[in-house]
Every structure is written in C-alpha cells, then in structure tokens.
Amino acid sequence: MQEFSLRTPIGYLKGVGPQRAEILNKELAVFTFEDLLYYYPFRYNDRSVYSKINQIDPTKPGVQFIARLLNFEIQGDRRSRRLVAHVKDDTGIAQLVWFQSIKWVEKNLTIGSAYVIYGSPSLFNNQISISHPEMELYVGSNQGLKFQPVYASTEKLKKLSLDSKGIQRLVSSLFSALKDNIDETLPDEILTKYKLIDLPSALRGIHFPDDADSIQRSLYRLKFEELFFLQLKILKTKVAHNQKFKGPVLKNVGEHFTDFYEKKLPFQLTNAQKRVIKEIRKDTLYGAQMNRLLQGDVGSGKTIVALMTMLLAIDNGYQACLMAPTEILAQQHYAGLKELLGVERVSIALLTGSIKQKDRKVIHEGLLNGDLDILIGTHALLEDKVKFKNLGLAIIDEQHRFGVEQRSKLWKKNSVPPHMLVMTATPIPRTLAMTLYGDLDISVIDELPAGRKPISTLHFHERSRLRMFGMLREEIAKGRQVYVVYPLIEESEKLDLLHLKAGKEFLEREFPLPVYKVGILHGKMTPKEKEFEMNRFVKGETQILVATTVIEVGVNVPNASVMVIENAERFGLSQLHQLRGRVGRGPEQSFCILMTKEKLSRESKIRMQTMVRTTDGFEIAETDLKLRGPGDLSGTQQSGVLELKLANLATDQALLQLARNEVIDIFEKDPTLGSEKNSLLRSFLSKSSFGIGWEKIS
Ligand code: ADP
Ligand code: MG
C-alpha cells in the first residue's frame, strides 16, 4: 500500500486526479494533502436535532425532520418547470421543491420511503415548503454526522462535483489515506498547560465533529496554534534583531534637554507624556536599538515627546530627524519646534519637495558636517543625497501614512542604526498592534492635556442644513473658525473636486463678503498655493476653510472650533476621528458636525452613532475593527500577517494575549530555542518563511 504524507501533491488523493487537482490548486490554493487538511469548514449544519413538521419555524435557517414521501409531480413548463413533492410525518405535511437537476432528483425518489430531510424552510400557501432540500433515505437513529461541515466552494469546483459535500468526501478520503501520519506541532508542556487537545484529534474534530463540544475544543486548539505560531515568528524576528543590532547610547541628560524642560516648556507635561519619555529613556540607555511605536490620540501631545527625545539625542552628540507625511505638516512642525526652542544653539532645518536646489545643498552639507542638529521634512528626507554625520534618532509622524520600506530607508541613514520612534494618532486595537507591530515596543499616551473640553459631536441630516449654518454663524461671531471637509476618493476625484468647489460657492453665498471669507484647500493645489491658503487660515484671515482630507493629518489651528464633515457616511471611522481631531485644540467648546443623507446603511449608522457617543480613539478603533475586520484597517500594508484561518483578531483577544505571553515567556527562558523541549518550535521556524519588515531591513 502506498504511503502518503502531508507533502504529497493533492492529485494523488483518491477521488482527485489531474483535472480536479488543477482546479483545487487554482481555486482554493490547495496543492498538497496538508493544504486540504487545513481547509476548514466555515460552518456546520446542525443535524443533531429532529423536528416535527408542525413544529417547524419558517424563520429558522436550517431544519431537519424525518418524513415519508407521499407523492411528487412536475409542474409548470420551461422556465417555471419544477418538481414538487409532498412528505408527511405524524404531525403534518410539508412541500419540497426543486428547480434544477429535476431529472436526477426524480429518478432517486421512491414513494412510500422515509427520508431524513434537511433544508431552510419557508411558508408557502400556509404550508412549510423547502426548496432544494438535502435528502437521504432514513436508515435508523444513528444516521450520519450530527454536525455537518459546510465548506466554501466555487462555481468551477462545483462543475467538477466539488461542492461542499464533494469537498467533504475528499477530506474523508484524506483522513483514510493519512492514517496516523499527522504529527503534533506543539510541545507537550504547552498542550498540558493550556489543556489543548492533540493535533490529529483537533483536525478530525473540526472536519468531522461528534458534537458541539468537540467543535469547540478543536477550534480552541487550532486557534491557539495559529496565534501562537504567528507570535513566535514575530517575536523571533524581534529577538534576533535585538541580538544583532546595537544602538546609540543616549546616556546624558544634558543642557539642551534640561534647559528646555526647565525654562521653555510652556506647560506641565501630562503623566502619560512623562511615562512615555521615561520608557524612551530606558530604551536608549544601554546601547540596544529602540524601535518604538508611540500611539496617542489626536491632540494628546506627541510632538513634545518627539522634541524632547530629539534633544536627548543632541545632548549625546547625535543628530535627529523627523519625517511627516505632508508638506503642510512638516512646515508646521518646523515652525512649531522653532518657536518652542526659541533662539537656541540647536540648529534645525526644513527639507521638503519645494525647497530650492541651492538651499538643499546647504542643508545636505550641514547634515554631513554636523552643523545641523535637527532635520524636519517629508519623504524628501529619504533621498539618497540626504546623508548625516551622526544620525542617532529618526522619528516618523503619522506612521500609518508610511510603509515599512520607508522605515527601513531611514534606518539605513547611519552605520549604527538610529533609534526609531514612530508615532501615530490612529489608535490601533491592542490585538492588532500585537500582530501588526508585534516587532515594535509600544507606548501609549492615554491622557489629554488638562483643560480640554470634550468635542461635542452632532449628526445632522440634509434637512437640518440651515440649523448647521446657524451654528457656524454663531461660532464665527464669537471669533472662531470653521473647517468644512468634503470626501475625495481617487476613483471619483474629478466629480469630488467639482463638489468641493460647488460647496465652496454655496458657502460663499451663505457667508458673503465682506463679513466672511472662505478659503479652499485640496491636493491638486501646488505646495505654494496650499501654504498660502493654510497661512491665511492660521492667521484668521479666512473664517471658513473648505477642504478635502488633506487637512486630516496633524494640522493645528487652535482657534478653529467647528469641523463640518460633508457626506460623512463616505468616510471610515478612523478617518472621521482624525478629522474631528483637528478641532478641540483650544480652550473653547468645539463641535464636530456630521452631515449625511437621510437613508443610511446599517454600518454607516453605527459609524455615526459611535462618533456621537465617544471621543475615545481606542474605543473607536475597536468598533472599526469589529465593523470592517482587520484586513481593511488603515495602516495594514503588512496585512498578509492578518490572514488568519480561524482566529479573529476582533474577537479572540484573550486567546491572542495568552499565546503571546507564552511566546514571550519561552523566549525569555530560551532565546535561541536551543533546548530539547523547544525543538518542535525550532523546526517550525526553520521551515517557515515570513516577513513583517525587519528582514527587509536587516
Ligand atoms: P498630537 O499628539 O495630535 O500630535 P500635538 O503634539 O500637536 O498633538 O499637541 C496638541 C496641542 O496640545 C499642541 O498645541 C501642544 O502644544 C499642546 N500640548 C501638548 N502637551 C501639552 C500639555 N501637557 N499641556 C498642555 N498642552 C499641551
Ligand atoms: Mg501630531
């Protein structure tokens, strides 16, 4: 008899053959026995209970009962041709209908026989009716699987009789072929510690469960394994990285830092800011290289933390750079930091796409000979020409706008890799952070500076537009300013721009010169034009700024107290939250007004309700994750990491934490996984290819 292993190509499985193998490859990415073994059902039909016909609830999705065939006939013609049968138990009569495969069904029906019938019921002429039921001859009480697995199939597979049932037959044949050739993947110790069933039982249990309980136990074991190995890969990269790279030692808290902290800092740091600065200090003290993600809601004060970290680098003889995703933001950082620092011995420069060639030259030279301490900029900062004398710290602001590639470019700007601090105002749910950014350490600023009034968020339908205008008038009369944001998405860019301009004209009629001035800002303007418009708004010359989401990141105008978001239903939650974060930066009460059409999808409604209910970015991120699933979230360029088969990052948080803690524990005790009991883990890692970023870098 032939020996099969997990690596055997799927074509060798009984019942497959070359033609089906090809389609299985193409449609399901099933190439080997192993792939099919891990092709899980996505749900089960509960075949454990039988109903009586008079008890069938037509609102339930699936029902099973035993009944005798009374009669059947073909009705209608051509398109309406159908096979109608009636079955009877001791409580009543039900109707069964087929529109397809009529001939085949007809051939297999025997009047007078008892069948087990399963399907989704509806009410037709006051009678229970089931179309295309599953039927088997009744053979006694121990019939078939209690929980029937349902596998995802495709049209092409179905043509080759590989519908869910067909796939189930293959899996069945797979188990006979493999016999006991399925090896355990987790160490005994872990199985015992977490009360996990062994792998062969779990795989059998998920494909052919005996009862609901065995589905649960199998799922638990397989989800744990999935999350555990994912964390093992992520943390392995991190451990390897720490062993391989040394970072600049930032031992001294010197003049620049102290002077700023004691004399220039215009406010008290929040406790959260202090804590994060301590975490960074600890990271950079001993010559390890820091890779830290700083999460903090909009307005939580990340910039000060960035600045103080840069001063720390300078105090230790290093240069620092800060990269922002847009020119406006880079300029604002530059101006803001200059102001905070005052006339200092710190020299700081701005490098963006619109800096002139000859000025660039000066900057390039200053960076190389060490005259410049701090460089602020956009992507321009990544160019090869930009070389530092001694870069000790690189900071990325609004990191979700950048990819891993860009992180890695910054990292290569020094022979000893600089410390990296990446900042984001798009809070990422913990589970996602542990996975997506599992290779980074994470700091969180979870506290807003004192004295901020929470932004009040209102959801208006189109018919309340006049009321909205009234609110704007009131606010402007108090000397405040207003943003009005329109959606802009690439596919409908032209149309959206028209809307934006029409919106501006409309506003200008409502808010006419000379009392009011309306400005406009969008991505198609040149940097000079944008700067001009932004400056007019910053200086208070315009009261209303009509804009696209170019203002989404980072822009800081404390006097702006109202954010109107037009067509708010077209924005995702995290974007809405970002936009709202542009107001509420001053001492006054601020407002965010979400304008939508009347009729909204369920999801849009939840988005609006969430925005109105809370200003907590983490709560919003959790809701977003639940609504959209992890794959879609912004900042998930590495979303391959998130393609989990069973585990769900939105709902399996506790399990993920458990798995991650276990992995951390293992690496602490045995960083190289050299011990005998970790041999399974070692061999897993040597087999797996995997990238979340650092490999590209190191
Ligand atoms: P973000 O985290 O969104 O980047 P910023 O760093 O731009 O936030 O800070 C928002 C505003 O809050 C800025 O005007 C900043 O000067 C101010 N700020 C930061 N920290 C504090 C603090 N501890 N107390 C008072 N205001 C602060
Ligand atoms: Mg910021």
Side-chain angles (χ1 to χ4, degrees), residues 526-538:
T526 66
K528 273 259 142 25
E529 289 168 340
K530 281 193 239 172
E531 192 187 332
F532 176 77
E533 280 291 349
M534 203 58 221
N535 279 337
R536 287 214 306 160
F537 192 65
V538 171

Side-chain angles (χ1 to χ4, degrees), residues 375-490:
L375 182 66
I376 311 286
T378 53
H379 296 77
L381 209 141
L382 297 173
E383 287 168 14
D384 290 336
K385 278 194 198 131
V386 180
K387 294 199 181 82
F388 293 83
K389 182 181 178 209
N390 201 2
L391 183 66
L393 168 72
I395 301 178
I396 301 181
D397 195 17
E398 309 295 349
Q399 113 87 25
H400 64 289
R401 291 296 189 93
F402 295 98
V404 176
E405 301 292 331
Q406 282 141 333
R407 233 206 281 168
S408 83
K409 272 198 174 149
L410 271 181
W411 151 287
K412 283 178 186 146
K413 292 266 173 206
N414 212 52
S415 53
V416 176
H419 295 297
M420 301 280 301
L421 180 66
V422 299
M423 311 199 289
T424 180
T426 308
I428 301 155
R430 277 181 58 75
T431 49
L432 210 54
M434 282 191 279
T435 310
L436 261 178
Y437 299 114
D439 55 337
L440 302 180
D441 293 305
I442 297 176
S443 286
V444 179
I445 303 186
D446 50 8
E447 181 187 358
L448 290 181
R452 296 260 174 87
K453 287 212 180 69
I455 303 165
S456 151
T457 303
L458 307 162
H459 173 204
F460 282 4
H461 290 299
E462 200 48 48
R463 66 182 123 94
S464 309
R465 182 163 288 274
L466 289 180
R467 211 174 123 208
M468 185 267 279
F469 285 149
M471 285 184 65
L472 301 195
R473 239 172 244 121
E474 265 174 45
E475 286 297 301
I476 294 172
K478 287 189 223 154
R480 311 278 139 70
Q481 290 164 284
V482 176
Y483 295 103
V484 180
V485 174
Y486 280 80
L488 184 64
I489 48 178
E490 264 162 49

Side-chain angles (χ1 to χ4, degrees), residues 45-59:
N45 288 333
D46 183 354
R47 304 292 293 263
S48 63
V49 287
Y50 292 88
S51 182
K52 290 286 181 190
I53 289 178
N54 70 350
Q55 287 166 352
I56 292 175
D57 177 354
T59 61

Side-chain angles (χ1 to χ4, degrees), residues 265-271 273 294 296-305 329 332-333 340 397-398 423-425 445 447-450 452 554-556 558 581-582 585:
L265 187 64
F267 37 68
Q268 283 272 331
L269 291 180
T270 61
N271 286 328
Q273 285 170 321
L294 173 54
D297 225 329
V298 276
S300 61
K302 295 184 290 295
T303 315
I304 285 291
V305 172
L329 190 53
Q332 237 183 37
H333 273 321
L340 277 169
D397 195 17
E398 309 295 349
M423 311 199 289
T424 180
I445 303 186
E447 181 187 358
L448 290 181
R452 296 260 174 87
V555 182
N556 194 13
R582 296 305 111 216
R585 299 181 155 240

